[in-house]
Amino acid sequence: MISHPLTLDIVRGAAELAPDEHGVAVHRLPRAVRERFPDPLLLDRESQPSGVRVAFETTGSRVALTLHTTRAVFRGLDRSRGTVDVLVDGALHAREELTGGDAIETDLRTGARDHRDGAPHTVTVDLPDGASTVEFWLPHNETVRLVDLHVDAPIAPARTDGVRRWVHHGSSISHGSNATAPSEIWPAVAARAADGVELTNLGFGGSAMVDPFMARVIRDTPADVISVKLGINVVNGDVMRLRSFVPAVHGFLDTIRDGHPDTPLLVISPLHCAIHEATPGPGAFDPDALAAGEVRFTATGDPSEVAAGRLTLEAIRDALRDVAARRSDDANLTLVDGLALFGAADEERLPLPDALHPGPAAHRLIGERFAPYLARYLAR
């Protein structure tokens, strides 16, 4: 078996690979952002390689990827491990649940944290005869260090001829919360369904806050189509009022346009989430659910304060419609109604498992519904 360097020409969808004691840490945000705004939640989420693939071509018959992961564990609660999806020539070839790795255990009641060390995990796959395009979709919900890639033949980066680049920004739903596997988060479903689309996923759990630095990252990232899904984190974080949200969105879009003046830009309003439709944040863990060993969220704000500018998902959708209308001179900006991707009837049929994030079937539904938007605007 030949050891091959792990570099950005084969690690697709990442911004940077940083050497450390385990190998190379995968980062979805550049160093400048991480150093200037070292928010612990953002740093944790950007180190989880949602949408990142190790992609290459080879005539080999066996490949082995070794990675060292770090995962969050909540004391007394069961959480599914991350998985690695291996696609060969675009089709799912293998799916392997991670073992080992480090764990950071948190007691949600006291905030106490313990760190446990663990071993690396190696995913070994036998390939069909002949040339293959291989993609290891890395776990979307655990921090990853890539340790080694072994193949029993030479490799070359996966070809990008005719590939169109989609840059997407969103919240934990875009990050993949409650999806079962990395190739089944809704942006991955949409990218694969649209065919020939190269995904850069800037979905970060709890961190879609209309931050200026995120707009600059999007501005500086090559893209053939851009989408931004805004609203849910602003509500459940209770970080803005209507007066600040509207100009922040205009500024966010202006910054993106500084680098992408004519690129199709899709602004996606919030998906349906019953707890926050008419009730402001902040969001919180439901204490009764925690006592029963489950994770559920609840909205704790006062609906009577909406008239004074407190934000709900209904208010966010109204505000984004107004933003889009006032930018009617931008022929390449489109507002996508989040309720058309996942609405009230969908939530009734496919309830959010924790009252906040879609489950696996809903991720597939959202991705399948968004894929035609990608196809339409990439065809321009």
Side-chain angles (χ1 to χ4, degrees):
M1 298 278 275
I2 305 167
S3 178
H4 296 276
L6 287 152
T7 54
L8 285 176
D9 59 344
I10 64 169
V11 183
R12 309 288 268 273
E16 182 181 320
L17 301 175
D20 70 5
E21 71 275 14
H22 293 301
V24 289
V26 180
H27 291 287
R28 291 191 289 139
L29 288 175
R31 181 181 300 274
V33 170
R34 305 196 310 270
E35 290 179 346
R36 291 178 185 175
F37 189 70
D39 175 69
L41 179 64
L42 178 66
L43 294 182
D44 177 68
R45 299 302 188 261
E46 73 84 29
S47 70
Q48 297 175 354
S50 178
V52 178
R53 299 85 60 203
V54 178
F56 55 90
E57 297 177 357
T58 185
T59 57
S61 60
R62 173 166 283 201
V63 300
L65 178 69
T66 301
L67 57 162
H68 193 113
T69 62
T70 302
R71 69 191 186 280
V73 177
F74 297 130
R75 191 167 299 163
L77 301 176
D78 289 330
R79 297 194 80 198
S80 299
R81 288 299 308 265
T83 66
V84 175
D85 282 355
V86 185
L87 276 62
V88 176
D89 297 329
L92 183 65
H93 182 75
R95 172 170 294 155
E96 188 164 319
E97 184 175 291
L98 294 169
T99 61
D102 296 353
I104 300 174
E105 184 179 67
T106 302
D107 187 325
L108 292 174
R109 295 177 179 82
T110 67
R113 305 178 85 194
D114 290 323
H115 186 108
R116 302 196 303 266
D117 293 334
H121 182 108
T122 299
V123 181
T124 302
V125 178
D126 292 321
L127 301 175
D129 294 337
S132 301
T133 299
V134 182
E135 298 172 88
F136 285 85
W137 284 72
L138 301 178
H140 62 285
N141 53 356
E142 299 193 19
T143 294
V144 169
R145 274 81 171 170
L146 297 172
V147 178
D148 209 344
L149 173 67
H150 283 88
V151 188
D152 62 356
I155 68 171
R159 282 171 287 184
T160 57
D161 306 356
V163 168
R164 296 152 300 169
R165 297 160 298 184
W166 171 33
V167 176
H168 174 69
H169 171 57
S171 65
S172 55
I173 298 172
S174 300
H175 189 137
S177 288
N178 282 342
T180 56
S183 67
E184 293 188 3
I185 65 172
W186 81 258
V189 172
R192 293 174 60 204
D195 194 28
V197 173
E198 178 94 349
L199 170 65
T200 297
N201 187 19
L202 299 176
F204 302 103
S207 301
M209 298 292 194
V210 204
D211 289 313
F213 65 76
M214 198 67 70
R216 291 194 294 273
V217 169
I218 299 170
R219 177 197 65 190
D220 298 338
T221 303
D224 297 301
V225 66
I226 297 165
S227 57
V228 294
K229 189 171 78 63
L230 303 174
I232 184 67
N233 286 159
V234 174
V235 173
N236 61 24
D238 193 34
V239 297
M240 290 183 181
R241 298 296 180 264
L242 184 63
R243 171 62 180 83
S244 56
F245 176 73
V246 170
V249 173
H250 278 297
F252 194 88
L253 299 177
D254 287 342
T255 298
I256 292 172
R257 280 298 185 224
D258 287 342
H260 297 280
D262 302 312
T263 303
L265 174 54
L266 310 180
V267 179
I268 308 170
S269 65
L271 309 179
H272 195 272
C273 177
I275 64 171
H276 279 303
E277 286 297 316
T279 303
F285 289 109
D286 183 330
D288 293 335
L290 285 179
E294 300 174 355
V295 173
R296 287 184 67 81
F297 294 90
T298 186
T300 67
D302 184 350
S304 70
E305 296 181 359
V306 174
R310 289 285 289 274
L311 291 172
T312 65
L313 297 188
E314 292 174 346
I316 291 279
R317 292 191 197 98
D318 287 343
L320 291 179
R321 278 192 288 269
D322 185 68
V323 166
R326 294 178 185 278
R327 302 179 75 92
S328 59
D329 58 331
D330 187 342
N332 292 307
L333 184 144
T334 301
L335 179 67
V336 177
D337 183 1
L339 297 179
L341 301 177
F342 190 80
D346 298 312
E347 185 172 355
E348 184 174 349
R349 182 170 62 90
L350 298 170
L352 307 179
D354 56 10
L356 186 61
H357 305 101
H363 270 278
R364 289 191 291 273
L365 176 68
I366 297 163
E368 289 164 358
R369 286 179 173 172
F370 191 74
Y373 289 96
L374 285 179
R376 182 184 315 157
Y377 289 98
L378 285 169
R380 288 186 170 186

